[in-house]
Amino acid sequence: MRKFVNDPKQFVPEMLKGLALANPETLTYVPQYNLIMRKDAPSDRKVSIIQGSGSGHEPAHVMAVGRGMLDAACPGDVFSAPPVDYITETTKLMRSEKGVLYLVNNYTGDRLAFEMAAELSMAEGIEVETLIINDDVAVSDSTYTVGRRGVAGNFFVIKAIGAASEQGADIEQLLAIGKRVVDVTRTMGIALSSCTPPAKGVPLFSIAEDEMEVGIGIHGEPGRRRAKRGTADEIVTLLLDAVVEDLPYKNGDRVALMINGLGGTPISELYLLFGRAHEQLKKRGIAVGRSYVGEYCTSLEMAGASLTLVRLDDEIEALLEADAEVPIRVF
Amino acid sequence: MRKFVNDPKQFVPEMLKGLALANPETLTYVPQYNLIMRKDAPSDRKVSIIQGSGSGHEPAHVMAVGRGMLDAACPGDVFSAPPVDYITETTKLMRSEKGVLYLVNNYTGDRLAFEMAAELSMAEGIEVETLIINDDVAVSDSTYTVGRRGVAGNFFVIKAIGAASEQGADIEQLLAIGKRVVDVTRTMGIALSSCTPPAKGVPLFSIAEDEMEVGIGIHGEPGRRRAKRGTADEIVTLLLDAVVEDLPYKNGDRVALMINGLGGTPISELYLLFGRAHEQLKKRGIAVGRSYVGEYCTSLEMAGASLTLVRLDDEIEALLEADAEVPIRVF
């Protein structure tokens, strides 16, 4: 296991502790509920935005806590939904007169946990609404889901809702904005390697060096098919065919294009993919209005990448453009 | 080869093309000299700051071009110094009345290429100065260098000099600032895997799954020793012992702490290392004043990390804190 780890069972708490130590002015780590929260949240002037899901997808979602993004995150262990009581404690801490909004990626375990937490929280008089994110076009159902999975497109939902919540939108408006973003966001990914959960110690699946898993899930769950690895151009064509034709995105559309690394692929390769995708989109008459290249939703140290498109309009673009502050310091 | 690549010989140009397409308002790619430059550079009001070295270390250094950072970067092929004529063409394009400053990491190939380019440029009447960066404490000489190597500490030199150049400092002042930063910056790295240059197609060295290379070079060149992989805590102790004792950093010092990923290690592990390093530094009486966690100087898809300390004073801290704009968009 080629990892920096102490006790594998303490992998997530030790990561969160490091995250809080690196951001002492903006973030608080609450060890007893394994949660990360903004130091200045909650506020009765804004809806509190919460996300929780399995760990192992960093920076999603614990490193997306900050002004204009999430107010708190309650991660589970690697690839496991958070416990219901941790979600309810997070909800209590984030209680706001304007309500609490859960952003839940569509995985069965996460949905069940957040449904129960919503009921328990509402019984205590907290207004709670839930938005489901399901941008992955690869499979219609999967080993982890009924319906499509939520993957890297999650970032755009957090960003848009985070911005609107800072501007004072109420919970119904945020739900509407979130649904509008989900409706125009589509993703598909490719894996070139497996990944190894720290507490498991062995790779989740095996894949030959010249193969790729087309439509990989972010927990290593199967996609559409196993194939011989193609060139970067062939892979971009394959991803764009699946993503563009799904909505579909059309000639004349203006989009945000994200090339997201799955954890083990260097940023040089992501920019190479981005360039080819940009060119291919142009040939399809689709203009790239906003560019995102890097890691947003990973699968531990998996080699691979996903491609996300968001159809832009003035409202969505303004929300994506709004100022925000996240723990990831670049310079 | 688990990579997204078309023709391996076109790996660097295709990456640079993608980088420029993702940053159409701020960056220009000049294919004939394989260079990336700020759209608004040069300016006679500031010294032009240039860096060039082998590719494969992204985001260093092509993704560090922008306001408050580099004015241009002229990368070579993967792990190869840039050709002399590409450096001289970059210098001509960046010609400024205040002069041109080269920031060169201490590798023999880079030094020779930049020395020749400086002579040729000065013969054309351009004022050129050079600053050498050599922060790696692992080895005193190496297969690629006479003297210490320049690694992730390079980032702090770019950031401080970039900020001071925006504020109008002249070339002598920038050299002095750069030397001051180099003098208080130390780094050491650990590799858990090798990496594979695209045009080579096979890993540079072999290393067992339970081993680590202590003091790895960023081109896969040997460090101090091969050892059994330790826990994250043991690795942090080993890195801090080497780095802290070198300057030495002392009880009462205030430092910037960087945990830099080498390309294949996920950010979760980097934050885990950061947390433990922060705690261990506290026990040594050294306070972390600024935190950097992520990828700054990589070795393609190598699994591994390096630890950098910079002793802070008011001047250095103000320069590190100054606003800057780089291509890496986080949100």
Side-chain angles (χ1 to χ4, degrees), chain A residues 155-172:
Chain A
F155 166 83
F156 294 101
V157 180
I158 294 175
K159 181 68 187 70
I161 286 183
S165 71
E166 296 289 344
Q167 292 161 10
D170 65 31
I171 204 161
E172 292 303 325

Side-chain angles (χ1 to χ4, degrees), chain A residues 159-288:
Chain A
K159 181 68 187 70
I161 286 183
S165 71
E166 296 289 344
Q167 292 161 10
D170 65 31
I171 204 161
E172 292 303 325
Q173 291 171 317
L174 293 181
L175 273 174
I177 288 166
K179 281 175 187 160
R180 289 194 57 226
V181 175
V182 169
D183 281 349
V184 295
T185 301
R186 298 289 189 276
T187 300
M188 194 159 93
I190 292 266
L192 306 184
S193 81
S194 180
C195 62
T196 300
K200 194 174 164 82
V202 292
L204 284 176
F205 61 92
S206 69
I207 179 167
E209 195 168 314
D210 63 344
E211 285 184 331
M212 58 185 181
E213 179 70 25
V214 179
I216 187 74
I218 56 172
H219 312 92
E221 64 270 37
R224 292 184 173 182
R225 62 192 168 89
R226 184 69 58 94
K228 285 285 165 199
R229 183 171 51 77
T231 64
D233 283 352
E234 289 163 352
I235 288 170
V236 166
T237 302
L238 185 159
L239 291 174
L240 279 180
D241 281 349
V243 169
V244 170
E245 289 164 18
D246 189 275
L247 191 63
Y249 299 87
K250 284 177 284 196
N251 192 312
D253 277 352
R254 191 161 180 274
V255 297
L257 167 61
M258 173 188 278
I259 299 292
N260 165 62
L262 295 182
T265 287
I267 197 163
S268 49
E269 294 176 44
L270 302 180
Y271 271 105
L272 189 155
L273 291 172
F274 180 90
R276 310 310 285 200
H278 194 288
E279 292 173 335
Q280 288 199 26
L281 282 167
K282 193 175 178 187
K283 284 185 192 154
R284 293 173 194 243
I286 298 169
V288 176

Side-chain angles (χ1 to χ4, degrees), chain A residues 95 97 128 158 177 191 214-215 227 235 252 281 306 312 319:
Chain A
R95 183 177 194 136
E97 280 182 13
V128 175
I158 294 175
I177 288 166
V214 179
I235 288 170
L281 282 167
S306 65
L312 295 174
L319 293 169

Side-chain angles (χ1 to χ4, degrees), chain A residues 18-263:
Chain A
L19 180 60
L21 284 169
N23 297 277
E25 286 162 22
T26 52
L27 298 183
T28 299
Y29 167 47
V30 183
Q32 57 269 44
Y33 309 120
N34 213 39
L35 70 90
I36 288 282
M37 56 180 274
R38 284 172 63 174
K39 269 201 177 1
D40 58 354
S43 159
D44 283 331
R45 289 179 296 104
K46 79 180 281 296
V47 177
S48 290
I49 315 298
I50 295 177
Q51 183 161 89
S53 79
S55 293
H57 308 302
E58 293 72 27
H61 52 294
V62 292
M63 295 161 201
V65 177
R67 186 173 50 80
M69 299 284 284
L70 299 174
D71 292 289
C74 50
D77 210 336
V78 171
F79 297 170
S80 300
V84 173
D85 57 328
Y86 286 18
I87 306 173
T88 54
E89 293 298 334
T90 306
T91 310
K92 278 187 214 167
L93 279 169
M94 290 298 113
R95 183 177 194 136
S96 159
E97 280 182 13
K98 293 195 84 168
V100 172
L101 178 58
Y102 294 161
L103 304 184
V104 180
N105 282 288
N106 187 36
Y107 295 96
T108 305
D110 291 328
R111 290 191 67 153
L112 283 172
F114 275 90
E115 274 169 32
M116 288 185 65
E119 281 180 29
L120 292 166
S121 301
M122 287 190 283
E124 297 210 20
I126 306 174
E127 184 187 2
V128 175
E129 293 285 352
T130 301
L131 180 78
I132 304 296
I133 300 154
N134 60 349
D135 55 309
D136 187 352
V137 307
V139 293
S140 50
D141 294 304
S142 80
T143 41
Y144 279 67
T145 58
V146 177
R148 290 177 165 192
R149 303 174 295 214
V151 287
N154 174 48
F155 166 83
F156 294 101
V157 180
I158 294 175
K159 181 68 187 70
I161 286 183
S165 71
E166 296 289 344
Q167 292 161 10
D170 65 31
I171 204 161
E172 292 303 325
Q173 291 171 317
L174 293 181
L175 273 174
I177 288 166
K179 281 175 187 160
R180 289 194 57 226
V181 175
V182 169
D183 281 349
V184 295
T185 301
R186 298 289 189 276
T187 300
M188 194 159 93
I190 292 266
L192 306 184
S193 81
S194 180
C195 62
T196 300
K200 194 174 164 82
V202 292
L204 284 176
F205 61 92
S206 69
I207 179 167
E209 195 168 314
D210 63 344
E211 285 184 331
M212 58 185 181
E213 179 70 25
V214 179
I216 187 74
I218 56 172
H219 312 92
E221 64 270 37
R224 292 184 173 182
R225 62 192 168 89
R226 184 69 58 94
K228 285 285 165 199
R229 183 171 51 77
T231 64
D233 283 352
E234 289 163 352
I235 288 170
V236 166
T237 302
L238 185 159
L239 291 174
L240 279 180
D241 281 349
V243 169
V244 170
E245 289 164 18
D246 189 275
L247 191 63
Y249 299 87
K250 284 177 284 196
N251 192 312
D253 277 352
R254 191 161 180 274
V255 297
L257 167 61
M258 173 188 278
I259 299 292
N260 165 62
L262 295 182

